[in-house]
Amino acid sequence: MKMGEVELSCLAYAKMYLHASQFPRSSVNGLLLSSSPAGAAVCITDCVPLLHSHLSLAPITQLALTQVDVWCSQTQQRIVGYYQANACVSDSSPTPCALKIAEKIFEQCNNAVLLMIDGEKMFPGCRVPPIVMYERKDARWALKDKHTIMLRQWEETCSIVNQLFSSGDQTLLVDFDSHLDDITKDWTNQKLNAKIMELISPANGNV
Amino acid sequence: MRKINIESTLYSQLIIDDENKLVIKFQPKTNVFLYCISEMRDKLRKWREENYRNSEQIVDVGEELINEHASKLGDDIWIIYEQVMIAALDCSRDDLAWSCLQELKRQFPDSHRVKRLAGMRLEALERYEDANKLYDSILQDDPTNTAARKRKISILRAQGKSSEAIRELNEYLEQFVGDQEAWHELSELYINEHDYAKAAFCLEELMMTNPHNHLYCEQYAEVKYTQGGLENLELARKYFAQALKLNNRNMRALFGLYMSASHIAASPKVSAKVKKDNVKYAAWATSQISRAYQLQHLPAGVMLTSLALSISSKTPYTTAASAGVAVVIEIHGRRQT
């Protein structure tokens, strides 16, 4: 991969999409992770869904960021970005809260990305990934060139997401907020990850 | 026969008869369905009374009730039509919403309540101008109609016009000071606009009228924490503690108590006594948190290890609102695969 390129894995995309779909009436956010070593390109291999309420209040955000950070260091992952889907579907521009958190991540990771989910493109049959990515350039967050964003096997990714919905597995997704409501729920989503990896594997005819 | 339901399926029940023999009795189909209908009705009533927004479930249950068993619902049917219609709009089921609306229009031709539902349907179709016209006509007839006013404010919110929504909502609350739902909506709007002081004011109103509601206490504490500064952190800690007193299983309040106490203890501005007290509070919170996780037998547990109150070092994501002070929270343990 070349300098400045960002690759978004099927696993990360699927979970972000599921998160936004699970809470269609609220803004949701989460962190983008990478298990690849730091380099010129960014490989987003996973994501952690965080909140679906009061995104701009500090305590739970701070708590979640720290917990994810520690978990990442234990699982050889790094936080490389932040995603958000706004409640107001017609406006997918980053909110001040999104910019603040992305800024914090950028302090630790100099090719961090900010990803906004475009709600208007989240309908079945849409041929374009419903995402808008920003990168840090000249002390501000600027739109990233679409050609540097890689979503390998886009068709398969879409089909995997559809399969998750038809099997009802989309309800397995747990975000940090839900974990606080019921601590027996696993915010690292091990079960859902396993299901998605199963669907991705070559044995299933995908990828 | 003495009927003791040991197990029942849709069509049969296991019953112990007068001779103490176990018998399978087949229920006539109508009885079984009547039993099911009343269950469905009860569910809908519960969701209605407790204001749940589980729209997919309401549509599932309600659609079947309406289509298959309308005749057996009596007068309840009208309120069920209303409930199902709103849920249908929430699930983009315009077909179902339309048919419910038609039934209601036929039964209550001049009703403002039904007109409001027609307006909500227009909102769902994003025909905001038409919806506004409808609400305005209701308000012309009846200027005190709060439902129509609140729908107009919801339209502003849906269109992303937050400052106008806030202005209208403030005007509304000057007249209808006791409307809890409106105060809460206003607090949410202020939080989204990062106007924490005004959000706190709204939550104070809610706490005054609902002193036993732990959620309002906890939200108020979160807002105070976000505002930052020593005084606000102390208030935050107090209200997190109050929320815990009202509901000792509120995990947000527990974590919030831990974080606010830790930040206060780490502040260079506090006296030795205050520092000592807050270290104690934080330690108590730690023990309660680890106890809560251990009680659930969560594999490897999520343990708060030794609190390192470090004044000089900053960890990436835990800078306190009060400038330059950091708390390290180490959470060990891996989740189950």
Side-chain angles (χ1 to χ4, degrees):
Chain A
M1 278 182 67
K2 294 200 300 250
M3 168 87 185
E5 278 185 355
V6 175
E7 182 180 329
L8 185 58
S9 74
C10 174
L11 180 66
Y13 176 81
K15 279 168 37 183
M16 275 197 303
Y17 193 96
L18 258 44
H19 192 207
S21 311
Q22 205 175 71
F23 302 102
R25 302 144 195 149
S26 334
S27 297
V28 298
N29 68 5
L31 296 172
L32 302 170
L33 311 180
S34 174
S35 53
S36 316
V42 179
C43 222
I44 300 170
T45 50
D46 198 358
C47 74
V48 175
L50 290 185
L51 309 178
H52 57 263
S53 63
H54 301 149
L55 271 59
S56 52
L57 289 182
I60 307 301
T61 305
Q62 278 182 3
L63 179 69
L65 281 170
T66 327
Q67 286 222 14
V68 175
D69 196 32
V70 173
W71 180 67
C72 278
S73 60
Q74 294 174 347
T75 53
Q76 285 79 49
Q77 295 181 90
R78 307 173 293 129
I79 299 178
V80 296
Y82 168 86
Y83 75 83
Q84 184 170 307
N86 290 335
C88 190
V89 155
S90 54
D91 176 16
S92 60
S93 54
T95 58
C97 145
L99 293 169
K100 218 155 87 181
I101 301 179
E103 202 59 46
K104 270 244 137 8
I105 296 173
F106 173 72
E107 283 169 18
Q108 304 300 315
C109 168
N110 63 5
N111 45 14
V113 293
L114 165 59
L115 195 158
M116 297 300 295
I117 296 180
D118 185 354
E120 287 195 318
K121 299 205 177 71
M122 278 182 72
F123 55 86
C126 182
R127 323 225 51 200
V128 179
I131 59 184
V132 183
M133 238 191 238
Y134 296 80
E135 60 182 350
R136 204 79 164 63
K137 242 191 200 157
D138 311 321
R140 44 178 280 275
W141 290 93
L143 270 174
K144 211 167 158 50
D145 177 6
K146 287 204 186 87
H147 298 106
T148 57
I149 305 170
M150 314 294 195
L151 265 157
R152 302 201 192 283
Q153 281 96 25
W154 168 240
E155 304 282 337
E156 281 82 357
T157 303
C158 281
S159 120
I160 286 171
V161 170
N162 288 334
Q163 284 177 63
L164 288 168
F165 276 107
S166 51
S167 62
D169 284 332
Q170 88 278 12
T171 54
L172 286 175
L173 184 92
V174 175
D175 68 1
F176 200 79
D177 248 345
S178 309
H179 168 75
L180 290 177
D181 288 334
D182 175 359
I183 56 175
T184 59
K185 291 192 177 165
D186 171 21
W187 58 261
T188 65
N189 286 296
Q190 305 280 19
K191 263 201 191 136
L192 180 62
N193 280 4
K195 284 240 151 80
I196 295 176
M197 292 316 286
E198 214 180 275
L199 289 172
I200 292 176
S201 80
N204 261 326
N206 287 320
V207 178
Chain B
M1 286 200 226
R2 242 190 322 143
K3 270 202 227 167
I4 300 173
N5 286 6
I6 299 163
E7 188 183 73
S8 66
T9 65
L10 203 54
Y11 298 109
S12 65
Q13 282 180 313
L14 288 173
I15 297 165
I16 296 182
D17 71 11
D18 286 334
E19 288 157 0
N20 279 329
K21 281 197 298 207
L22 204 59
V23 167
I24 298 176
K25 185 170 196 314
F26 283 93
Q27 300 282 359
K29 200 168 176 192
T30 48
N31 281 354
V32 175
F33 273 120
L34 277 175
Y35 173 73
C36 289
I37 290 173
S38 72
E39 251 194 357
M40 295 202 278
R41 267 168 101 159
D42 288 341
K43 275 199 191 142
L44 283 179
R45 184 183 315 124
K46 174 171 184 240
W47 294 332
R48 211 162 49 229
E49 285 170 6
E50 299 186 26
N51 223 352
Y52 284 1
R53 196 173 169 176
N54 53 338
S55 302
E56 286 92 356
Q57 277 184 298
I58 294 175
V59 162
D60 262 342
V61 174
E63 192 172 19
E64 185 178 329
L65 261 188
I66 291 171
N67 288 343
E68 313 283 327
H69 313 292
S71 51
K72 301 184 190 72
L73 294 172
D75 273 336
D76 263 2
I77 192 159
W78 308 114
I79 202 160
I80 289 176
Y81 272 131
E82 182 184 44
Q83 183 181 11
V84 173
M85 185 197 162
I86 295 176
L89 290 177
D90 217 10
C91 299
S92 304
R93 285 284 311 272
D94 190 47
D95 56 320
L96 180 58
W98 179 250
S99 58
C100 292
L101 186 60
Q102 294 317 298
E103 295 295 326
L104 286 165
K105 270 188 182 164
R106 204 173 305 150
Q107 182 72 6
F108 307 103
D110 294 313
S111 156
H112 279 163
R113 189 162 161 174
V114 175
K115 229 174 171 181
R116 177 197 88 139
L117 291 174
M120 283 177 81
R121 181 178 162 270
L122 291 171
E123 284 184 61
L125 296 169
E126 296 189 67
R127 288 166 53 185
Y128 296 124
E129 276 197 35
D130 293 335
N132 265 321
K133 282 204 196 112
L134 209 56
Y135 297 136
D136 286 334
S137 74
I138 297 178
L139 286 167
Q140 248 187 349
D141 253 357
D142 174 14
T144 65
N145 190 307
T146 55
R149 271 183 88 166
K150 289 201 274 192
R151 285 324 308 165
K152 287 180 63 104
I153 295 172
S154 303
I155 289 177
L156 289 171
R157 195 163 179 192
Q159 293 174 311
K161 298 179 180 167
S162 311
S163 15
E164 291 177 46
I166 287 176
R167 198 186 51 231
E168 293 290 323
L169 199 41
N170 269 303
E171 271 182 40
Y172 170 86
L173 280 165
E174 275 171 30
Q175 263 193 282
F176 301 98
V177 158
D179 191 332
Q180 314 282 301
E181 184 183 67
W183 279 112
H184 197 249
E185 184 74 9
L186 188 55
S187 77
E188 298 277 325
L189 282 169
Y190 278 132
I191 288 174
N192 286 342
E193 297 297 304
H194 305 279
D195 195 339
Y196 301 118
K198 300 214 179 88
F201 179 78
C202 298
L203 287 163
E204 282 162 9
E205 286 287 331
L206 286 165
M207 287 194 296
M208 261 199 312
T209 45
N210 303 276
H212 300 295
N213 186 321
H214 66 105
L215 294 171
Y216 292 150
C217 279
E218 185 257 304
Q219 268 180 40
Y220 181 74
E222 284 195 47
V223 170
K224 283 290 155 195
Y225 181 105
T226 310
Q227 281 182 289
L230 197 53
E231 219 177 279
N232 284 325
L233 279 175
E234 298 210 298
L235 264 175
R237 193 206 65 228
K238 291 195 177 120
Y239 278 92
F240 280 129
Q242 178 66 9
L244 279 170
K245 225 161 79 175
L246 295 168
N247 179 345
N248 62 3
R249 286 186 297 185
N250 186 328
M251 287 309 287
R252 284 189 181 81
L254 202 44
F255 277 111
L257 175 62
Y258 166 81
M259 291 174 75
S260 38
S262 306
H263 283 315
I264 296 170
S267 163
K269 300 186 204 158
V270 300
S271 68
K273 174 163 194 318
V274 170
K275 186 181 177 114
K276 191 159 161 234
D277 286 341
N278 280 282
V279 166
K280 237 180 15 187
Y281 302 141
W284 178 84
T286 311
S287 68
Q288 293 300 302
I289 293 171
S290 59
R291 185 166 160 267
Y293 279 90
Q294 285 175 333
L295 266 175
Q296 299 293 341
H297 307 293
L298 286 169
V302 170
M303 298 282 285
L304 288 171
T305 61
S306 54
L307 248 54
L309 291 174
S310 158
I311 299 178
S312 52
S313 70
K314 261 193 215 188
T315 60
Y317 301 114
T318 57
T319 45
S322 45
V325 176
V327 168
V328 171
I329 305 173
E330 293 228 344
I331 296 165
H332 284 219
R334 206 162 306 188
R335 290 270 171 188
Q336 184 179 30
T337 33

